[in-house]
Amino acid sequence: MPFCPECGTKIEQGKFCPECGTKLPDGAGAAAAPAPTPAPAVAAKPVAKAPAASGKGPVNSPLVKHEDWIYYDTACKQISQGNGIASLKAALPDADCGFAFFRLYAENVGNVGKGITTEANIILQWKGPDAKTMAKVKNGQGLQNALSSLNPNKGFIEVLGKKNLTTDQIYDCWRPGSGSKVIQD
């Protein structure tokens, strides 16, 4: 397909540009219009500090700081709470299931721009590696209750082991376009 050398409009047929009226030279397939060069994207990443306007967390949210968490059993009864991935890993039972309500601050989510921080409460659906099958089934049945009662939240991620459970991995599973919503060993 030829392009107008004057304005860059694609010319489907004929010898004149429908946009600006420029006549194409005979036999000229007119050079292809240069493709716009996209600006380099700034990589998004979790950050450990809250946005400047924050400090209290969302309305009615018990989570305030980056990496705050609360662990609930399958019936959404609070079991424990703390801050940091290390303490969360210690609180997750290997032989049981539950939900961890986790707070995350991430910069440039969805390529909105450097310096723009997003706050997210994410439900981690924990299924311990040694948990019995029936406990995992009941945990799956309780997921909708957790999504409804642990508010505000921005979705859930299934967690099947502690080895790869990191803030970066939680962010990678939660971010837009991530694909997988499962963290496993």
Side-chain angles (χ1 to χ4, degrees):
M1 282 275 154
F3 291 90
C4 175
E6 197 68 33
C7 68
T9 302
K10 185 183 345 180
I11 301 172
E12 307 251 342
Q13 60 186 11
K15 296 184 178 189
F16 294 95
C17 174
E19 188 69 31
C20 68
T22 303
K23 182 178 179 186
L24 290 175
D26 287 337
T37 319
V42 179
K45 63 181 189 257
V47 294
K49 62 180 181 168
S54 183
K56 292 191 174 184
V59 177
N60 299 328
S61 175
L63 306 175
V64 178
K65 297 184 289 186
H66 179 64
E67 293 188 4
D68 274 357
W69 58 267
I70 302 173
Y71 181 72
Y72 297 88
D73 64 10
T74 299
C76 288
K77 179 183 165 208
Q78 184 175 334
I79 303 298
S80 60
Q81 69 182 56
N83 182 276
I85 288 290
S87 64
L88 174 60
K89 286 181 179 181
L92 295 173
D94 285 337
D96 205 357
C97 299
F99 304 99
F101 199 31
F102 187 80
R103 178 93 168 152
L104 178 72
Y105 292 130
E107 185 177 285
N108 193 27
V109 174
N111 206 24
V112 295
K114 186 175 181 179
I116 298 175
T117 304
T118 301
E119 306 172 30
N121 293 337
I122 303 165
I123 297 172
L124 304 178
Q125 182 185 21
W126 170 249
K127 294 180 180 178
D130 300 331
K132 296 185 178 182
T133 304
M134 187 53 78
K136 291 180 182 182
V137 169
K138 288 185 178 186
N139 180 263
Q141 292 171 341
L143 177 60
Q144 187 57 49
N145 183 35
L147 288 167
S148 301
S149 61
L150 303 178
N151 281 317
N153 71 67
K154 292 194 175 185
F156 76 97
I157 297 170
E158 187 176 9
V159 181
L160 305 175
K162 298 177 185 178
K163 180 180 173 189
N164 294 322
L165 181 60
T166 64
T167 304
D168 288 335
Q169 188 66 35
I170 292 169
Y171 172 74
D172 283 343
C173 287
W174 170 75
R175 70 180 168 77
S178 67
S180 177
K181 303 293 182 202
V182 179
I183 297 173
Q184 53 190 341
D185 289 343

